[in-house]
Amino acid sequence: MTDTGTDIASGPRTGTPAQTPISGTTRLYVVLGDPVAQVRSPGLLNPLFAEQGADAVLVPVEVRPDSLERVVRGLQRIGNLDGIFVTVPHKAGAARLAERRSRAVEIAGTANVLRREADGGWLAENFDGSGFVAGLARAGHEVRGRRVALAGAGGAGSAVAAALLTAGADRVAVTDPDLPKLEALVDRLAGYWPGRVHAAAEPPLHDSDLAVNATPLGLRPGDPLPFSPEDLAPGSVVADIIMKPHETALLRAAAALGLPIHHGIHMLTGQVASYCAFFGLRAPANG
């Protein structure tokens, strides 16, 4: 769930049970964002809760950045609230509001989900990057040895960069107009993968075989492209982590050039099994 407006998602579901009735015993989950209208996690998790007979519900909560800490601290005091999902623009802020952070969160500096632990503390995790890599693998796009141009050093971009490096990308060149944020991310990642991650003023598309948009550009009609796909070599894969719209302007432009494209939904469906394990649910049979 990201600064691109993405989170767990699913296409239309058919034949699923109605949502379990809410009662005094219902366990609560929330997804925090600003905006929050685009989130798709309730459409996945609530049917999943019903399928498994879980007495739980996930609801969207719109939170301004200046209210994030107050809202999260209040939610963490709700006795029957078990999990907090996080999307744009709260991933870095949410990571700082958990007592414990996974290795993925420590590396990326961002989180997209928090879980209440048995002792009442909160654990922050981030499945954006692993979900993105899993989605690439399912679509037949190998990461190992790839030269990657990555646009975006924010909440999702940082997790995607770390996961690509973990999966064996030969080089990840990251661009972002926020230079302090970009430099901080590259410095942090270089401590784990020296020589394989670089900051770039412009995406080195001529020298990349995988180009990824992890910025919000493409969420709104009229957004400029995050990079120019015509500068890529034939056969280079263009990936977008934006889910809505499904066909972003970037992907349309890349497809028109005959380049292989990779939709945002793949990143999101790639996270389903991880979320289920994280919250003690059974993964869906098709997940």
Side-chain angles (χ1 to χ4, degrees), residues 1-2 6-10 40 44 128 131-132 241-243 264-272 275:
M1 306 160 75
T2 88
T6 58
D7 60 281
I8 314 178
S10 172
R40 298 300 179 90
L44 173 63
D128 279 335
F132 179 74
I241 69 167
I242 289 175
M243 174 160 180
I265 191 171
H266 295 296
M267 178 179 109
L268 306 178
T269 56
Q271 299 180 60
V272 172
Y275 279 110

Side-chain angles (χ1 to χ4, degrees), residues 21-22 92 100 124 128-129 198 201 243 276:
I22 296 173
R100 299 161 199 149
D128 279 335
H198 311 280
M243 174 160 180
C276 289

Side-chain angles (χ1 to χ4, degrees), residues 77-136:
R77 288 170 171 80
I78 296 175
N80 63 332
L81 187 134
D82 293 335
I84 300 172
F85 294 87
V86 187
T87 187
V88 53
H90 300 316
K91 296 190 177 185
R96 296 189 291 267
L97 297 175
E99 292 88 349
R100 299 161 199 149
R101 287 167 283 277
S102 71
R103 183 175 185 271
V105 173
E106 293 288 0
I107 293 172
T110 59
N112 71 346
V113 65
L114 280 67
R115 179 183 72 193
R116 187 193 298 276
E117 300 287 81
D119 64 358
W122 288 80
L123 170 67
E125 184 54 275
N126 195 326
F127 297 118
D128 279 335
S130 60
F132 179 74
V133 169
L136 284 173

Side-chain angles (χ1 to χ4, degrees), residues 174-188:
V174 189
T175 58
D176 196 287
D178 187 333
L179 295 182
K181 179 170 64 178
L182 173 61
E183 292 168 1
L185 172 62
V186 170
D187 287 348
R188 188 165 64 249

